[in-house]
Structures are given as C-alpha cells and as structure tokens.
mmCIF file of all heavy atoms in Angstrom:
data_model
loop_
_atom_site.group_PDB
_atom_site.id
_atom_site.type_symbol
_atom_site.label_atom_id
_atom_site.label_comp_id
_atom_site.label_asym_id
_atom_site.label_seq_id
_atom_site.Cartn_x
_atom_site.Cartn_y
_atom_site.Cartn_z
ATOM 1 N N VAL A 133 0.766 -19.772 -7.480
ATOM 2 C CA VAL A 133 0.116 -21.012 -6.985
ATOM 3 C C VAL A 133 -0.937 -21.376 -8.037
ATOM 4 O O VAL A 133 -1.780 -20.538 -8.655
ATOM 5 C CB VAL A 133 -0.473 -20.803 -5.723
ATOM 6 C CG1 VAL A 133 -1.370 -22.020 -5.318
ATOM 7 C CG2 VAL A 133 0.537 -20.413 -4.704
ATOM 8 N N PHE A 134 -0.949 -22.653 -8.387
ATOM 9 C CA PHE A 134 -2.042 -23.274 -9.263
ATOM 10 C C PHE A 134 -3.152 -24.064 -8.423
ATOM 11 O O PHE A 134 -2.663 -24.955 -7.852
ATOM 12 C CB PHE A 134 -1.463 -24.035 -10.388
ATOM 13 C CG PHE A 134 -2.484 -24.742 -11.228
ATOM 14 C CD1 PHE A 134 -3.278 -23.966 -12.225
ATOM 15 C CD2 PHE A 134 -2.869 -26.141 -11.026
ATOM 16 C CE1 PHE A 134 -4.098 -24.632 -12.880
ATOM 17 C CE2 PHE A 134 -3.910 -26.710 -11.725
ATOM 18 C CZ PHE A 134 -4.472 -25.932 -12.647
ATOM 19 N N LEU A 135 -4.329 -23.586 -8.448
ATOM 20 C CA LEU A 135 -5.492 -24.466 -8.070
ATOM 21 C C LEU A 135 -6.347 -24.669 -9.195
ATOM 22 O O LEU A 135 -6.555 -23.674 -10.037
ATOM 23 C CB LEU A 135 -6.212 -23.718 -7.008
ATOM 24 C CG LEU A 135 -5.775 -23.617 -5.582
ATOM 25 C CD1 LEU A 135 -6.580 -22.855 -4.686
ATOM 26 C CD2 LEU A 135 -5.190 -24.829 -4.987
ATOM 27 N N PHE A 136 -6.782 -25.902 -9.509
ATOM 28 C CA PHE A 136 -7.546 -26.241 -10.582
ATOM 29 C C PHE A 136 -8.900 -25.426 -10.654
ATOM 30 O O PHE A 136 -9.247 -24.848 -11.749
ATOM 31 C CB PHE A 136 -7.910 -27.746 -10.693
ATOM 32 C CG PHE A 136 -8.734 -28.008 -11.886
ATOM 33 C CD1 PHE A 136 -8.051 -28.275 -13.059
ATOM 34 C CD2 PHE A 136 -10.091 -28.268 -11.990
ATOM 35 C CE1 PHE A 136 -8.663 -28.695 -14.212
ATOM 36 C CE2 PHE A 136 -10.760 -28.620 -13.032
ATOM 37 C CZ PHE A 136 -10.008 -28.818 -14.221
ATOM 38 N N GLU A 137 -9.500 -25.040 -9.508
ATOM 39 C CA GLU A 137 -10.677 -24.413 -9.456
ATOM 40 C C GLU A 137 -10.666 -22.970 -9.878
ATOM 41 O O GLU A 137 -11.656 -22.279 -10.014
ATOM 42 C CB GLU A 137 -11.354 -24.707 -8.088
ATOM 43 C CG GLU A 137 -10.461 -24.135 -6.831
ATOM 44 C CD GLU A 137 -9.777 -25.288 -6.274
ATOM 45 O OE1 GLU A 137 -9.268 -26.222 -7.069
ATOM 46 O OE2 GLU A 137 -9.595 -25.330 -5.039
ATOM 47 N N ASP A 138 -9.280 -22.531 -9.844
ATOM 48 C CA ASP A 138 -9.122 -20.990 -10.138
ATOM 49 C C ASP A 138 -9.181 -20.849 -11.692
ATOM 50 O O ASP A 138 -9.096 -19.751 -12.177
ATOM 51 C CB ASP A 138 -7.841 -20.530 -9.627
ATOM 52 C CG ASP A 138 -7.919 -20.232 -8.083
ATOM 53 O OD1 ASP A 138 -9.033 -20.293 -7.509
ATOM 54 O OD2 ASP A 138 -6.787 -20.241 -7.578
ATOM 55 N N LEU A 139 -9.158 -21.874 -12.509
ATOM 56 C CA LEU A 139 -9.109 -21.821 -13.890
ATOM 57 C C LEU A 139 -10.462 -21.397 -14.529
ATOM 58 O O LEU A 139 -11.479 -21.985 -13.995
ATOM 59 C CB LEU A 139 -8.554 -23.073 -14.530
ATOM 60 C CG LEU A 139 -7.158 -23.482 -14.519
ATOM 61 C CD1 LEU A 139 -6.960 -24.859 -15.195
ATOM 62 C CD2 LEU A 139 -6.364 -22.418 -15.298
ATOM 63 N N PRO A 140 -10.425 -20.517 -15.471
ATOM 64 C CA PRO A 140 -11.698 -20.238 -16.228
ATOM 65 C C PRO A 140 -12.130 -21.399 -17.032
ATOM 66 O O PRO A 140 -11.269 -22.267 -17.344
ATOM 67 C CB PRO A 140 -11.414 -18.958 -16.939
ATOM 68 C CG PRO A 140 -9.861 -19.063 -17.282
ATOM 69 C CD PRO A 140 -9.261 -19.813 -15.938
ATOM 70 N N ALA A 141 -13.410 -21.477 -17.378
ATOM 71 C CA ALA A 141 -13.965 -22.427 -18.218
ATOM 72 C C ALA A 141 -13.107 -22.488 -19.644
ATOM 73 O O ALA A 141 -12.955 -21.322 -20.198
ATOM 74 C CB ALA A 141 -15.396 -22.283 -18.518
ATOM 75 N N LYS A 142 -12.701 -23.582 -20.204
ATOM 76 C CA LYS A 142 -12.031 -23.631 -21.451
ATOM 77 C C LYS A 142 -12.539 -24.857 -22.145
ATOM 78 O O LYS A 142 -12.908 -25.901 -21.558
ATOM 79 C CB LYS A 142 -10.573 -23.754 -21.281
ATOM 80 C CG LYS A 142 -9.867 -22.489 -20.673
ATOM 81 C CD LYS A 142 -8.421 -22.599 -20.660
ATOM 82 C CE LYS A 142 -7.715 -21.236 -20.343
ATOM 83 N NZ LYS A 142 -6.295 -21.248 -20.403
ATOM 84 N N ASP A 143 -12.264 -24.888 -23.452
ATOM 85 C CA ASP A 143 -12.735 -25.911 -24.402
ATOM 86 C C ASP A 143 -11.663 -26.909 -24.473
ATOM 87 O O ASP A 143 -11.040 -27.118 -25.481
ATOM 88 C CB ASP A 143 -13.179 -25.400 -25.777
ATOM 89 C CG ASP A 143 -13.657 -26.511 -26.598
ATOM 90 O OD1 ASP A 143 -14.171 -27.523 -26.041
ATOM 91 O OD2 ASP A 143 -13.709 -26.333 -27.810
ATOM 92 N N ARG A 144 -11.227 -27.574 -23.251
ATOM 93 C CA ARG A 144 -10.162 -28.616 -23.251
ATOM 94 C C ARG A 144 -10.563 -29.593 -22.176
ATOM 95 O O ARG A 144 -11.180 -29.252 -21.239
ATOM 96 C CB ARG A 144 -8.772 -27.894 -22.942
ATOM 97 C CG ARG A 144 -8.163 -27.138 -24.008
ATOM 98 C CD ARG A 144 -6.757 -26.655 -23.557
ATOM 99 N NE ARG A 144 -5.868 -27.822 -23.379
ATOM 100 C CZ ARG A 144 -4.648 -27.635 -22.754
ATOM 101 N NH1 ARG A 144 -4.234 -26.497 -22.361
ATOM 102 N NH2 ARG A 144 -3.974 -28.680 -22.437
ATOM 103 N N ARG A 145 -9.985 -30.787 -22.342
ATOM 104 C CA ARG A 145 -10.207 -31.825 -21.403
ATOM 105 C C ARG A 145 -9.582 -31.382 -19.987
ATOM 106 O O ARG A 145 -8.403 -30.999 -19.994
ATOM 107 C CB ARG A 145 -9.714 -33.167 -21.823
ATOM 108 C CG ARG A 145 -10.462 -33.728 -22.901
ATOM 109 C CD ARG A 145 -9.862 -35.013 -23.463
ATOM 110 N NE ARG A 145 -9.279 -35.999 -22.343
ATOM 111 C CZ ARG A 145 -10.096 -36.891 -21.849
ATOM 112 N NH1 ARG A 145 -11.282 -37.180 -22.303
ATOM 113 N NH2 ARG A 145 -9.483 -37.707 -20.855
ATOM 114 N N PRO A 146 -10.280 -31.531 -18.918
ATOM 115 C CA PRO A 146 -9.657 -31.110 -17.676
ATOM 116 C C PRO A 146 -8.344 -31.883 -17.236
ATOM 117 O O PRO A 146 -7.384 -31.330 -16.640
ATOM 118 C CB PRO A 146 -10.753 -31.542 -16.696
ATOM 119 C CG PRO A 146 -12.097 -31.563 -17.520
ATOM 120 C CD PRO A 146 -11.640 -32.012 -18.895
ATOM 121 N N ASP A 147 -8.328 -33.186 -17.715
ATOM 122 C CA ASP A 147 -7.075 -33.861 -17.391
ATOM 123 C C ASP A 147 -5.900 -33.375 -18.126
ATOM 124 O O ASP A 147 -4.773 -33.137 -17.510
ATOM 125 C CB ASP A 147 -7.224 -35.315 -17.672
ATOM 126 C CG ASP A 147 -7.732 -35.620 -19.122
ATOM 127 O OD1 ASP A 147 -8.111 -34.753 -19.835
ATOM 128 O OD2 ASP A 147 -7.736 -36.817 -19.418
ATOM 129 N N ASN A 148 -6.142 -32.842 -19.293
ATOM 130 C CA ASN A 148 -5.019 -32.236 -20.106
ATOM 131 C C ASN A 148 -4.544 -30.984 -19.486
ATOM 132 O O ASN A 148 -3.299 -30.593 -19.391
ATOM 133 C CB ASN A 148 -5.463 -31.860 -21.474
ATOM 134 C CG ASN A 148 -5.567 -33.202 -22.323
ATOM 135 O OD1 ASN A 148 -4.944 -34.131 -22.056
ATOM 136 N ND2 ASN A 148 -6.400 -33.128 -23.403
ATOM 137 N N LEU A 149 -5.544 -30.172 -18.852
ATOM 138 C CA LEU A 149 -5.238 -28.882 -18.311
ATOM 139 C C LEU A 149 -4.429 -29.010 -17.029
ATOM 140 O O LEU A 149 -3.280 -28.408 -16.870
ATOM 141 C CB LEU A 149 -6.530 -28.110 -17.970
ATOM 142 C CG LEU A 149 -7.131 -27.365 -19.008
ATOM 143 C CD1 LEU A 149 -8.564 -26.867 -18.615
ATOM 144 C CD2 LEU A 149 -6.378 -26.209 -19.536
ATOM 145 N N TYR A 150 -4.824 -29.990 -16.164
ATOM 146 C CA TYR A 150 -4.052 -30.019 -14.847
ATOM 147 C C TYR A 150 -2.704 -30.739 -15.116
ATOM 148 O O TYR A 150 -1.730 -30.444 -14.315
ATOM 149 C CB TYR A 150 -4.954 -30.680 -13.723
ATOM 150 C CG TYR A 150 -5.288 -32.200 -13.907
ATOM 151 C CD1 TYR A 150 -4.354 -33.144 -13.664
ATOM 152 C CD2 TYR A 150 -6.658 -32.549 -14.184
ATOM 153 C CE1 TYR A 150 -4.727 -34.528 -13.813
ATOM 154 C CE2 TYR A 150 -7.023 -33.837 -14.236
ATOM 155 C CZ TYR A 150 -5.978 -34.812 -14.025
ATOM 156 O OH TYR A 150 -6.277 -36.263 -14.134
ATOM 157 N N LEU A 151 -2.720 -31.663 -15.983
ATOM 158 C CA LEU A 151 -1.422 -32.322 -16.268
ATOM 159 C C LEU A 151 -0.452 -31.451 -16.840
ATOM 160 O O LEU A 151 0.844 -31.481 -16.615
ATOM 161 C CB LEU A 151 -1.611 -33.551 -17.094
ATOM 162 C CG LEU A 151 -2.406 -34.671 -16.423
ATOM 163 C CD1 LEU A 151 -2.584 -35.825 -17.304
ATOM 164 C CD2 LEU A 151 -1.686 -35.090 -15.115
ATOM 165 N N ASP A 152 -0.847 -30.437 -17.624
ATOM 166 C CA ASP A 152 -0.038 -29.403 -18.309
ATOM 167 C C ASP A 152 0.679 -28.615 -17.096
ATOM 168 O O ASP A 152 1.854 -28.197 -17.152
ATOM 169 C CB ASP A 152 -0.707 -28.555 -19.210
ATOM 170 C CG ASP A 152 -0.926 -29.212 -20.589
ATOM 171 O OD1 ASP A 152 -0.312 -30.313 -20.880
ATOM 172 O OD2 ASP A 152 -1.702 -28.647 -21.477
ATOM 173 N N LYS A 153 -0.138 -28.232 -16.137
ATOM 174 C CA LYS A 153 0.337 -27.544 -14.970
ATOM 175 C C LYS A 153 1.368 -28.170 -14.172
ATOM 176 O O LYS A 153 2.230 -27.550 -13.493
ATOM 177 C CB LYS A 153 -0.890 -26.954 -14.135
ATOM 178 C CG LYS A 153 -1.793 -25.945 -14.852
ATOM 179 C CD LYS A 153 -0.864 -24.660 -15.195
ATOM 180 C CE LYS A 153 -1.712 -23.589 -15.813
ATOM 181 N NZ LYS A 153 -0.881 -22.451 -16.216
ATOM 182 N N VAL A 154 1.143 -29.425 -13.968
ATOM 183 C CA VAL A 154 2.119 -30.313 -13.347
ATOM 184 C C VAL A 154 3.474 -30.235 -14.056
ATOM 185 O O VAL A 154 4.566 -30.122 -13.348
ATOM 186 C CB VAL A 154 1.603 -31.826 -13.184
ATOM 187 C CG1 VAL A 154 2.758 -32.682 -12.567
ATOM 188 C CG2 VAL A 154 0.415 -31.934 -12.280
ATOM 189 N N ASP A 155 3.381 -30.273 -15.308
ATOM 190 C CA ASP A 155 4.548 -30.240 -16.181
ATOM 191 C C ASP A 155 5.279 -28.804 -15.949
ATOM 192 O O ASP A 155 6.477 -28.723 -15.887
ATOM 193 C CB ASP A 155 4.178 -30.450 -17.616
ATOM 194 C CG ASP A 155 5.483 -30.472 -18.501
ATOM 195 O OD1 ASP A 155 6.553 -31.119 -18.112
ATOM 196 O OD2 ASP A 155 5.448 -29.904 -19.575
ATOM 197 N N GLU A 156 4.477 -27.827 -15.765
ATOM 198 C CA GLU A 156 5.018 -26.464 -15.733
ATOM 199 C C GLU A 156 5.598 -26.157 -14.375
ATOM 200 O O GLU A 156 6.368 -25.278 -14.076
ATOM 201 C CB GLU A 156 3.962 -25.374 -15.982
ATOM 202 C CG GLU A 156 3.545 -25.309 -17.446
ATOM 203 C CD GLU A 156 2.406 -24.404 -17.590
ATOM 204 O OE1 GLU A 156 2.181 -23.525 -16.736
ATOM 205 O OE2 GLU A 156 1.610 -24.531 -18.584
ATOM 206 N N CYS A 157 5.123 -26.788 -13.249
ATOM 207 C CA CYS A 157 5.465 -26.399 -11.900
ATOM 208 C C CYS A 157 6.816 -26.789 -11.458
ATOM 209 O O CYS A 157 7.453 -27.661 -12.180
ATOM 210 C CB CYS A 157 4.438 -27.085 -10.879
ATOM 211 S SG CYS A 157 4.788 -28.808 -10.481
ATOM 212 N N SER A 158 7.282 -26.053 -10.523
ATOM 213 C CA SER A 158 8.629 -26.363 -9.897
ATOM 214 C C SER A 158 8.400 -27.154 -8.625
ATOM 215 O O SER A 158 9.233 -27.979 -8.264
ATOM 216 C CB SER A 158 9.363 -25.111 -9.472
ATOM 217 O OG SER A 158 9.612 -24.252 -10.764
ATOM 218 N N ILE A 159 7.300 -26.782 -7.972
ATOM 219 C CA ILE A 159 7.084 -27.553 -6.670
ATOM 220 C C ILE A 159 5.605 -28.361 -6.676
ATOM 221 O O ILE A 159 4.572 -27.652 -7.157
ATOM 222 C CB ILE A 159 7.019 -26.630 -5.517
ATOM 223 C CG1 ILE A 159 8.401 -25.976 -5.258
ATOM 224 C CG2 ILE A 159 6.543 -27.342 -4.130
ATOM 225 C CD1 ILE A 159 8.378 -24.933 -4.266
ATOM 226 N N PHE A 160 5.622 -29.576 -6.532
ATOM 227 C CA PHE A 160 4.397 -30.291 -6.429
ATOM 228 C C PHE A 160 3.896 -30.494 -4.945
ATOM 229 O O PHE A 160 4.738 -31.206 -4.206
ATOM 230 C CB PHE A 160 4.566 -31.708 -7.161
ATOM 231 C CG PHE A 160 3.245 -32.509 -7.151
ATOM 232 C CD1 PHE A 160 2.215 -32.344 -7.962
ATOM 233 C CD2 PHE A 160 3.166 -33.508 -6.170
ATOM 234 C CE1 PHE A 160 1.084 -33.202 -7.808
ATOM 235 C CE2 PHE A 160 2.018 -34.322 -6.092
ATOM 236 C CZ PHE A 160 0.911 -34.167 -7.011
ATOM 237 N N LEU A 161 2.923 -29.849 -4.520
ATOM 238 C CA LEU A 161 2.424 -29.758 -3.087
ATOM 239 C C LEU A 161 1.149 -30.619 -3.049
ATOM 240 O O LEU A 161 0.120 -30.177 -3.487
ATOM 241 C CB LEU A 161 2.354 -28.477 -2.602
ATOM 242 C CG LEU A 161 2.182 -28.094 -1.123
ATOM 243 C CD1 LEU A 161 2.533 -26.732 -0.764
ATOM 244 C CD2 LEU A 161 0.931 -28.504 -0.558
ATOM 245 N N ALA A 162 1.248 -31.765 -2.305
ATOM 246 C CA ALA A 162 0.082 -32.672 -2.273
ATOM 247 C C ALA A 162 -0.477 -32.680 -0.869
ATOM 248 O O ALA A 162 0.270 -32.723 0.039
ATOM 249 C CB ALA A 162 0.458 -34.118 -2.611
ATOM 250 N N LEU A 163 -1.824 -32.582 -0.799
ATOM 251 C CA LEU A 163 -2.593 -32.712 0.501
ATOM 252 C C LEU A 163 -3.421 -33.951 0.438
ATOM 253 O O LEU A 163 -4.249 -34.052 -0.497
ATOM 254 C CB LEU A 163 -3.467 -31.446 0.786
ATOM 255 C CG LEU A 163 -2.817 -30.106 0.544
ATOM 256 C CD1 LEU A 163 -3.877 -28.945 0.742
ATOM 257 C CD2 LEU A 163 -1.584 -29.984 1.693
ATOM 258 N N TYR A 164 -3.213 -34.879 1.217
ATOM 259 C CA TYR A 164 -4.004 -36.079 1.274
ATOM 260 C C TYR A 164 -4.742 -36.346 2.536
ATOM 261 O O TYR A 164 -4.190 -36.036 3.622
ATOM 262 C CB TYR A 164 -3.094 -37.258 0.977
ATOM 263 C CG TYR A 164 -2.437 -37.224 -0.262
ATOM 264 C CD1 TYR A 164 -1.028 -37.935 -0.462
ATOM 265 C CD2 TYR A 164 -2.931 -36.638 -1.488
ATOM 266 C CE1 TYR A 164 -0.428 -37.901 -1.707
ATOM 267 C CE2 TYR A 164 -2.375 -36.679 -2.660
ATOM 268 C CZ TYR A 164 -1.070 -37.232 -2.791
ATOM 269 O OH TYR A 164 -0.409 -37.109 -4.086
ATOM 270 N N ALA A 165 -5.945 -36.869 2.458
ATOM 271 C CA ALA A 165 -6.795 -37.026 3.598
ATOM 272 C C ALA A 165 -7.353 -38.382 3.505
ATOM 273 O O ALA A 165 -6.660 -39.492 3.321
ATOM 274 C CB ALA A 165 -7.837 -36.085 3.824
ATOM 275 N N LYS A 166 -8.722 -38.650 3.579
ATOM 276 C CA LYS A 166 -9.393 -39.949 3.512
ATOM 277 C C LYS A 166 -9.883 -40.345 2.013
ATOM 278 O O LYS A 166 -9.712 -41.413 1.692
ATOM 279 C CB LYS A 166 -10.666 -39.954 4.317
ATOM 280 C CG LYS A 166 -10.260 -39.900 5.793
ATOM 281 C CD LYS A 166 -11.561 -40.093 6.758
ATOM 282 C CE LYS A 166 -12.711 -39.183 6.346
ATOM 283 N NZ LYS A 166 -13.902 -39.434 7.208
ATOM 284 N N GLU A 167 -10.350 -39.380 1.405
ATOM 285 C CA GLU A 167 -10.894 -39.548 0.053
ATOM 286 C C GLU A 167 -10.054 -39.784 -1.108
ATOM 287 O O GLU A 167 -8.888 -39.247 -1.074
ATOM 288 C CB GLU A 167 -11.943 -38.404 -0.311
ATOM 289 C CG GLU A 167 -13.080 -38.202 0.746
ATOM 290 C CD GLU A 167 -13.961 -39.593 1.013
ATOM 291 O OE1 GLU A 167 -14.135 -40.295 -0.153
ATOM 292 O OE2 GLU A 167 -14.335 -39.758 2.046
ATOM 293 N N TYR A 168 -10.241 -40.684 -2.002
ATOM 294 C CA TYR A 168 -9.571 -40.974 -3.247
ATOM 295 C C TYR A 168 -9.976 -40.170 -4.371
ATOM 296 O O TYR A 168 -9.243 -39.641 -5.277
ATOM 297 C CB TYR A 168 -9.576 -42.296 -3.568
ATOM 298 C CG TYR A 168 -8.596 -42.654 -4.750
ATOM 299 C CD1 TYR A 168 -7.269 -42.677 -4.604
ATOM 300 C CD2 TYR A 168 -9.199 -43.187 -5.919
ATOM 301 C CE1 TYR A 168 -6.527 -43.063 -5.703
ATOM 302 C CE2 TYR A 168 -8.389 -43.397 -7.111
ATOM 303 C CZ TYR A 168 -7.014 -43.473 -6.911
ATOM 304 O OH TYR A 168 -6.226 -43.845 -7.948
ATOM 305 N N GLY A 169 -11.256 -39.663 -4.382
ATOM 306 C CA GLY A 169 -11.783 -38.853 -5.552
ATOM 307 C C GLY A 169 -12.266 -39.577 -6.726
ATOM 308 O O GLY A 169 -12.313 -40.846 -6.743
ATOM 309 N N TRP A 170 -12.791 -38.929 -7.657
ATOM 310 C CA TRP A 170 -13.260 -39.418 -8.942
ATOM 311 C C TRP A 170 -12.263 -40.364 -9.509
ATOM 312 O O TRP A 170 -11.025 -40.051 -9.534
ATOM 313 C CB TRP A 170 -13.690 -38.240 -9.875
ATOM 314 C CG TRP A 170 -14.319 -38.793 -11.262
ATOM 315 C CD1 TRP A 170 -15.582 -39.125 -11.425
ATOM 316 C CD2 TRP A 170 -13.508 -38.921 -12.381
ATOM 317 N NE1 TRP A 170 -15.636 -39.544 -12.762
ATOM 318 C CE2 TRP A 170 -14.405 -39.455 -13.405
ATOM 319 C CE3 TRP A 170 -12.297 -38.659 -12.687
ATOM 320 C CZ2 TRP A 170 -13.952 -39.482 -14.683
ATOM 321 C CZ3 TRP A 170 -11.772 -38.898 -14.030
ATOM 322 C CH2 TRP A 170 -12.763 -39.339 -14.943
ATOM 323 N N GLU A 171 -12.674 -41.543 -9.996
ATOM 324 C CA GLU A 171 -11.908 -42.447 -10.800
ATOM 325 C C GLU A 171 -12.245 -42.525 -12.174
ATOM 326 O O GLU A 171 -13.381 -42.603 -12.488
ATOM 327 C CB GLU A 171 -12.024 -43.904 -10.097
ATOM 328 C CG GLU A 171 -11.667 -43.867 -8.534
ATOM 329 C CD GLU A 171 -11.979 -45.267 -7.984
ATOM 330 O OE1 GLU A 171 -11.814 -46.369 -8.695
ATOM 331 O OE2 GLU A 171 -12.297 -45.390 -6.789
ATOM 332 N N ASP A 172 -11.221 -42.456 -13.000
ATOM 333 C CA ASP A 172 -11.324 -42.562 -14.385
ATOM 334 C C ASP A 172 -11.907 -44.014 -14.725
ATOM 335 O O ASP A 172 -11.251 -44.953 -14.265
ATOM 336 C CB ASP A 172 -10.016 -42.360 -15.110
ATOM 337 C CG ASP A 172 -10.188 -42.147 -16.664
ATOM 338 O OD1 ASP A 172 -10.999 -42.876 -17.245
ATOM 339 O OD2 ASP A 172 -9.470 -41.315 -17.271
ATOM 340 N N PRO A 173 -13.079 -44.068 -15.491
ATOM 341 C CA PRO A 173 -13.678 -45.393 -15.854
ATOM 342 C C PRO A 173 -12.607 -46.207 -16.578
ATOM 343 O O PRO A 173 -12.648 -47.476 -16.518
ATOM 344 C CB PRO A 173 -14.887 -45.070 -16.580
ATOM 345 C CG PRO A 173 -15.286 -43.645 -16.181
ATOM 346 C CD PRO A 173 -13.878 -43.028 -15.916
ATOM 347 N N LYS A 174 -11.716 -45.753 -17.273
ATOM 348 C CA LYS A 174 -10.778 -46.462 -18.116
ATOM 349 C C LYS A 174 -9.787 -47.256 -17.299
ATOM 350 O O LYS A 174 -9.516 -48.385 -17.621
ATOM 351 C CB LYS A 174 -9.974 -45.478 -19.144
ATOM 352 C CG LYS A 174 -11.029 -44.866 -20.052
ATOM 353 C CD LYS A 174 -10.186 -43.974 -21.093
ATOM 354 C CE LYS A 174 -11.116 -43.261 -22.045
ATOM 355 N NZ LYS A 174 -10.163 -42.409 -22.972
ATOM 356 N N ASP A 175 -9.246 -46.598 -16.280
ATOM 357 C CA ASP A 175 -8.201 -47.377 -15.455
ATOM 358 C C ASP A 175 -8.454 -47.262 -14.110
ATOM 359 O O ASP A 175 -7.581 -47.863 -13.284
ATOM 360 C CB ASP A 175 -6.806 -46.710 -15.851
ATOM 361 C CG ASP A 175 -6.717 -45.178 -15.741
ATOM 362 O OD1 ASP A 175 -7.597 -44.672 -15.073
ATOM 363 O OD2 ASP A 175 -5.746 -44.626 -16.375
ATOM 364 N N GLY A 176 -9.335 -46.506 -13.544
ATOM 365 C CA GLY A 176 -9.691 -46.503 -12.200
ATOM 366 C C GLY A 176 -8.725 -45.637 -11.406
ATOM 367 O O GLY A 176 -8.716 -45.567 -10.172
ATOM 368 N N ILE A 177 -8.023 -44.777 -12.060
ATOM 369 C CA ILE A 177 -7.047 -43.847 -11.346
ATOM 370 C C ILE A 177 -7.658 -42.508 -11.252
ATOM 371 O O ILE A 177 -8.142 -41.944 -12.246
ATOM 372 C CB ILE A 177 -5.675 -43.801 -12.097
ATOM 373 C CG1 ILE A 177 -5.105 -45.230 -12.219
ATOM 374 C CG2 ILE A 177 -4.710 -42.846 -11.532
ATOM 375 C CD1 ILE A 177 -3.720 -45.199 -12.964
#
C-alpha cells in the first residue's frame, strides 16, 4: 500500500513523487468526501 504521508523526506517535488507511484501501482483506490484539497496555482487542479 502506498500512502504519501508514509514517505520519508526527499529532495524531490511532491507532485513528481506521488505521480510516479500512480504509474507504479496496479490498483488506484480513491476516497472522496467534501474537500477538494490544495490547488496548484498554475492550473487550479
């Protein structure tokens, strides 16, 4: 199981880290509630 908060501190951009793990995974398991979370200022995603 991959949780972003389980990763040790690394000298890499967080978005690169989690997107690499999406690429590695076999199952993408999403939990959605009310919040959208932090939005990237560049594109609002």
Side-chain angles (χ1 to χ4, degrees):
V133 176
F134 173 78
L135 290 184
F136 185 79
E137 54 266 40
D138 288 342
L139 282 177
K142 290 188 176 182
D143 186 20
R144 287 185 59 190
R145 284 173 52 89
D147 51 351
N148 290 334
L149 282 172
Y150 68 74
L151 293 178
D152 284 348
K153 289 298 181 181
V154 172
D155 185 40
E156 292 176 21
C157 78
S158 298
I159 299 176
F160 177 81
L161 194 159
L163 309 177
Y164 298 150
K166 294 191 299 183
E167 302 299 327
Y168 183 69
W170 177 83
E171 301 177 33
D172 190 324
K174 295 180 180 179
D175 53 17
I177 297 177

